[in-house]
């Protein structure tokens, strides 16, 4: 017997389409008003090229840091019963809702030259993170790591732990079981989390400008270049915005089956 689909109430349908238009029209407007005739020339300018290069390098470096630190953190949250695990999970999710500017201020208070840890990094090793390219990487990693941790933790919780137990009964150490069994099992979750993490790092603005500043060639990533170009060269701002929009669409398409329902 075929299921009968209920008629959609007009009182819900109208605001639904208005909401959809509200989200779609700004992106459509960006595409319509883009300087397509000079797009290639705009992308070839030194300022745009430098911002693109720096953004790609910093976002990739931040993602690498998040992988090294975030995967073990996700494993700890999903597979252990350590005291304070729930509190740790809460702190992991805080950057998701924390205003990025507040995150930048917090990073300054910790890693600045007079910060809680920054004063020792400067005095002992001569390392100063604020207003440097390394500072951009740190700021992006801070705001992007929760995306990776949450994705990997979810994959670990969905994985059957009996495979790891079977590896242990065969004599595999905990590290060997993690490397040879757990990681391949949750590899799709790690890949999805890495892509989301990279995309979030690429689009980071508030924490970056607060902690690392906006210096062309050193800390000026694409979002910061958009902010600066909007007052001086709107065409360049539009081109950079198009690049970020294209990256976002590619990310959503690549993760469609994992994060967005595809059933009709």
């Amino acid at each position: 017997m075929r299921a009968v689909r209920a008629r959609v109430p007009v009182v819900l349908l109208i605001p639904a389409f208005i909401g959809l238009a509200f989200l779609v029209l700004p992106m459509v407007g960006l595409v319509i008003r883009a300087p397509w005739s000079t797009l290639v020339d705009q992308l070839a300018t030194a300022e745009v090229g430098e911002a693109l290069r720096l953004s790609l390098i910093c976002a990739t470096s931040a993602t690498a840091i998040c992988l090294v630190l975030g995967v073990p953190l996700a494993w700890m949250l999903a597979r252990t019963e350590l005291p304070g695990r729930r509190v740790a999970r809460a702190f992991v999710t805080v950057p998701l809702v924390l205003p990025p500017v507040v995150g930048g201020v917090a990073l300054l208070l910790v890693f600045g030259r007079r910060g809680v840890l920054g004063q020792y990094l400067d005095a002992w090793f001569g390392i100063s993170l604020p207003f440097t390219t390394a500072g951009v990487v740190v700021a992006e990693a801070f705001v992007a790591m929760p995306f990776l941790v949450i994705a990997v933790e979810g994959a670990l919780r969905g994985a059957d732990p009996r495979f790891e137990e079977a590896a242990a009964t065969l004599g595999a150490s905990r590290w060997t079981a993690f490397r040879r069994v757990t990681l391949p099992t949750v590899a799709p979750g790690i890949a999805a989390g890495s892509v989301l993490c990279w995309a979030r790092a690429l689009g980071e603005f508030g924490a970056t400008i607060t902690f690392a500043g906006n210096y062309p060639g050193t800390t000026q990533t694409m979002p910061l270049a958009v902010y600066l170009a909007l007052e001086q060269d709107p065409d360049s701002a539009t081109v950079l915005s198009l690049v970020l929009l294209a990256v976002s669409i590619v990310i959503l398409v690549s993760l469609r089956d994992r994060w967005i329902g595809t059933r009709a």
Side-chain angles (χ1 to χ4, degrees), residues 2-42:
R2 296 179 61 184
V4 179
R5 292 192 177 185
R7 180 177 296 177
V8 180
V10 176
V11 70
L12 296 178
L13 199 60
I14 292 176
F17 277 111
I18 294 175
L20 180 63
F22 175 74
L23 296 175
V24 172
L25 285 177
M27 293 180 283
V28 173
L30 181 64
V31 174
I32 293 175
R33 298 300 297 271
W36 294 106
S37 60
T38 61
L39 181 65
V40 176
D41 294 334
Q42 290 285 345

Side-chain angles (χ1 to χ4, degrees), residues 116-158:
V116 177
L117 297 179
Q119 58 181 324
Y120 301 109
L121 290 175
D122 188 29
W124 296 349
F125 307 104
I127 297 176
S128 179
L129 293 176
F131 309 108
T132 64
T133 303
V136 176
V137 175
V138 170
E140 292 181 350
F142 175 77
V143 299
M145 189 181 294
F147 290 87
L148 175 69
V149 174
I150 291 174
V152 177
E153 184 188 0
L156 284 167
R157 290 186 177 278

Side-chain angles (χ1 to χ4, degrees), residues 31-138:
V31 174
I32 293 175
R33 298 300 297 271
W36 294 106
S37 60
T38 61
L39 181 65
V40 176
D41 294 334
Q42 290 285 345
L43 288 173
T45 60
E47 294 81 5
V48 174
E50 189 65 30
L52 283 169
R53 183 192 66 83
L54 188 64
S55 293
L56 294 175
I57 291 174
C58 290
T60 303
S61 301
T63 303
I65 293 174
C66 292
L67 279 169
V68 173
L69 302 179
V71 172
L73 176 56
W75 178 86
M76 183 191 76
L77 295 176
R79 286 285 195 265
T80 67
E81 297 294 336
L82 294 177
R85 181 168 53 92
R86 294 180 183 275
V87 177
R89 183 182 291 110
F91 276 111
V92 166
T93 57
V94 165
L96 291 175
V97 297
L98 189 71
V101 174
V102 177
V105 172
L107 289 172
L108 274 175
L109 295 176
V110 174
F111 295 109
R113 287 189 176 182
R114 296 184 180 180
V116 177
L117 297 179
Q119 58 181 324
Y120 301 109
L121 290 175
D122 188 29
W124 296 349
F125 307 104
I127 297 176
S128 179
L129 293 176
F131 309 108
T132 64
T133 303
V136 176
V137 175
V138 170

Side-chain angles (χ1 to χ4, degrees), residues 134-219:
V136 176
V137 175
V138 170
E140 292 181 350
F142 175 77
V143 299
M145 189 181 294
F147 290 87
L148 175 69
V149 174
I150 291 174
V152 177
E153 184 188 0
L156 284 167
R157 290 186 177 278
D160 193 339
R162 290 178 297 180
F163 293 111
E164 300 170 40
E165 296 170 0
T169 60
L170 294 175
S173 64
R174 197 70 178 268
W175 166 245
T176 301
F178 174 78
R179 182 168 51 88
R180 303 290 293 273
V181 178
T182 306
L183 280 181
T185 302
V186 301
I190 295 176
S194 299
V195 173
L196 288 172
C197 177
W198 184 83
R200 178 64 184 89
L202 188 70
E204 169 50 31
F205 176 83
T208 302
I209 197 171
T210 306
F211 183 62
N214 188 11
Y215 299 103
T218 303
T219 65

